[in-house]
Amino acid sequence: LAVPAFRRLLAVRLGGQFTDGVFQAALAGSVLFNPDRQATPTAIAFAAAVLVLPYSLVGPFAGVLLDRWSRRTVIVWSNLIRAGLVLPLAALIFFGSEGPLFLVSTLLVIGLGRLLLSGLSAATPHVVSDERLVTANAVAGTAGSVAYSLGLGCALLLLQTVFPAGDTGYAAIALLAPVGYLISAALARFSFARLELGPDQVLPHRPGVGGEAAAVVLGMAAGVRHLGRARGAAYAMAAQAGFRVLFGALALAMLLLYRNRFAGDDLDGAPTQLGFVFAAGAAGVLLAAAVTPPVARRIGGWRWVTGLLAAVAVALPVFGLPFDPLLLVMVVGVVNVAGHGIKIVVDTMVQHECADAFRGRVFAVNDTTFNLAYVLGMVGVARFLPDDGRSPVLLGVAAAGYACLAIGYAVAAGRWASDAGDDIALSKTVVPAAER
C-alpha cells in the first residue's frame, strides 16, 4: 500500500468489485429468492451454466486481447460498456422479464467483468516489484473479495430499509451499478498512462477478420506452449480447478439448504441468513490473505496449497454432516480460507513463471478454467441433490475428493519443486532470460 501506483490500481479493482456485488445482489434476488419462481437444483445449475459457460469458452481469446491492447484501455471500456448495459437490465428486472435480451445483457456484463479482472491481474507486476507480488496479490484479491461482499451487504441493507421488496426494489438496486462502473472507469483513465499497465511488447496488428482470427489462434497456441514450460504454475492451476469443481457442488447444496430447508416458506428471510454465509466467506478471505504470504514464504507455496486442501477434507465431515446452520457457516469459513489461499499462490506462480507477453493469455485461461470447473461441479451434482440440499453422500464424496487432490498435488508439485531447486519460495522464474 506504500506504492502509489498499486494503490491506484487497487482503487480501480475495489470500485468495480463493490459494484459487482450490488449488481449481482439485484440479479440473485430477482431470480433466486422470488417466491413466484422455482429454484430446483437443475434450474440453479442451468442458470449458472448459461451465465458462465459462454464467457468461459471464449475466455482464452479474450486473453489475447489483453496481450494486444493497452490494458488500461480494456479496463476503461469494460466498465463503460457495463454501465450502459445495466440500464436496460434494470428495466427488464422492473417488468419481470427474463427473456433473451435479459440473458444476453447479463452475459455481457458478467463476461466483461471477468475480462477486467484478468486485465488487473496481468497489470499487477507493472505496479509492484517482483518480490512483493505475493503480498500484492493477497491484498488485491482480499480487498476485492471483501468489496464484493460489502456490495452484496449494502444492497441487502437497502432492500431492508429503503427499497420495497420485489422486482421494483431489485430494479432500483440495479440502477445504482452504473455509478460505480463509471467511477471505476474514470479512476483507471486518469490514474495511468495508456501503456503504463502493459503489455510491454504489443503483438503486430494483422488487418482483416481472417488475419485477426489467425492471430488469436496462433497466440493461444503459443500461450499454451508457454504454460507447458511453467510446470509449477500448471500444477497449481490444475489443483485449483479440482478445488473449484467440488466447490461448485457444495455451493449448489448450500444455496438449496438456505432457500428450501432453513428458510421454509419465508423466502424474505433467506437472503438475511445467507448474509451470515457471505460474512463467513469474507472473514475466510481476510484470514487467508493475512496468513498466506508469510506461511508460503516459510514452507513453500506448494506445501501451503497441500495443507489447505487437506484442511477442507477434514472440515467437511466434522462440521458439515450435522447440517446445522451455525456449523455450516464454519465450513464456509474454512473453504474460503482454502480457496483464497490457493488463488494467491496460483496468481503468484503465473506472474513469476510466465513472461509478460504471455501473462494475459495465461490469466484468461486460468480464469476460464476457474469458472468452467465451478459450473461443471454444479451441473454434475444437480441431478443427484434433493431439493432441500441435504446430502451426506455429497459431503463424503467432496471430502474424499479434496483428500485425493491434496495427495496428488503434493506428489506432483513436490517433485517439480525438487527438480527446480525451489523448495521454499512460492516459485522462482524458470523462463529463459532471452524470452523474458
Side-chain angles (χ1 to χ4, degrees):
L1 292 176
V3 182
F6 176 75
R7 292 200 304 271
R8 296 196 300 269
L9 192 67
L10 181 62
V12 175
R13 178 188 289 267
L14 295 183
Q17 291 199 254
F18 178 87
T19 309
D20 285 341
V22 173
F23 170 68
Q24 292 185 30
L27 282 181
S30 65
V31 175
L32 184 60
F33 298 109
N34 191 325
D36 296 328
R37 297 181 178 91
Q38 294 296 317
T40 63
T42 302
I44 296 175
F46 177 76
V50 167
L51 291 177
V52 176
L53 280 180
Y55 174 73
S56 297
L57 296 176
V58 302
F61 294 87
V64 174
L65 301 180
L66 294 175
D67 295 331
R68 294 172 64 84
W69 295 349
S70 159
R71 289 171 191 153
R72 188 204 70 173
T73 301
V74 170
I75 293 168
V76 170
W77 278 101
S78 294
N79 277 311
L80 291 177
I81 295 172
R82 290 199 295 172
L85 289 172
V86 169
L87 297 176
L89 267 172
L92 292 172
I93 292 173
F94 178 80
F95 290 109
S97 174
E98 296 179 8
L101 181 59
F102 179 88
L103 175 62
V104 171
S105 300
T106 304
L107 288 172
L108 289 173
V109 172
I110 293 178
L112 287 169
R114 304 295 184 191
L115 175 63
L116 184 146
L117 291 177
S118 293
L120 290 170
S121 294
T124 300
H126 288 264
V127 296
V128 296
S129 58
D130 190 65
E131 63 271 14
R132 289 189 174 187
L133 275 178
V134 182
T135 305
N137 288 326
V139 171
T142 301
S145 296
V146 172
Y148 176 82
S149 298
L150 287 174
L152 289 171
C154 288
L156 176 61
L157 182 62
L158 289 173
L159 285 169
Q160 298 290 330
T161 58
V162 178
F163 299 118
D167 289 334
T168 301
Y170 292 125
I173 292 295
L175 283 175
L176 298 176
V179 178
Y181 290 140
L182 290 174
I183 291 174
S184 182
L187 286 172
R189 171 62 180 81
F190 296 107
S191 296
F192 300 99
R194 191 174 71 87
L195 296 178
E196 189 175 348
L197 301 178
D200 292 334
Q201 297 177 349
V202 179
L203 298 177
H205 179 74
R206 301 189 181 195
V209 176
E212 290 296 325
V216 169
V217 173
L218 292 174
M220 283 312 305
V224 171
R225 288 195 302 270
H226 185 78
L227 183 60
R229 293 192 293 273
R231 286 193 296 145
Y235 291 149
M237 286 171 60
Q240 181 174 249
F243 179 95
R244 290 287 292 178
V245 169
L246 297 171
F247 179 81
L250 295 171
L252 177 58
M254 182 71 73
L255 280 173
L256 291 168
L257 281 167
Y258 277 87
R259 187 192 190 277
N260 298 335
R261 184 177 179 86
F262 300 148
D265 295 329
D266 182 23
L267 283 183
D268 290 339
T272 302
Q273 292 186 45
L274 276 175
F276 293 107
V277 174
F278 283 111
V285 167
L286 283 170
L287 181 58
V291 302
T292 294
V295 173
R297 290 192 188 100
R298 184 173 182 83
I299 68 173
W302 68 272
R303 289 194 183 95
W304 179 231
V305 170
T306 301
L308 291 172
L309 292 170
V312 176
V314 173
L316 284 176
V318 172
F319 298 111
L321 284 177
F323 289 98
D324 177 80
L326 179 59
L327 292 178
L328 286 174
V329 168
M330 296 177 65
V331 172
V332 170
V334 173
V335 171
N336 275 270
V337 169
H340 193 60
I342 292 171
K343 186 180 187 304
I344 292 171
V345 174
V346 171
D347 286 354
T348 305
M349 284 187 169
V350 170
Q351 290 166 342
H352 266 293
E353 294 190 32
C354 298
D356 182 72
F358 294 90
R359 222 174 259 146
R361 274 162 281 186
V362 175
F363 268 113
V365 170
N366 181 48
D367 191 58
T368 297
T369 306
F370 189 86
N371 294 298
L372 192 62
Y374 175 75
V375 172
L376 182 62
M378 272 197 168
V379 173
V381 80
R383 288 185 55 195
F384 308 102
L385 269 180
D387 286 346
D388 67 355
R390 190 183 188 280
S391 176
V393 174
L394 172 62
L395 281 184
V397 171
Y402 281 118
C404 292
L405 272 175
I407 295 171
Y409 177 71
V411 172
R415 189 174 300 162
W416 161 80
S418 177
D419 292 343
D422 189 18
D423 197 44
I424 298 299
L426 273 169
S427 173
K428 292 180 181 177
T429 302
V430 295
V431 179
E435 185 174 332
R436 286 180 60 82

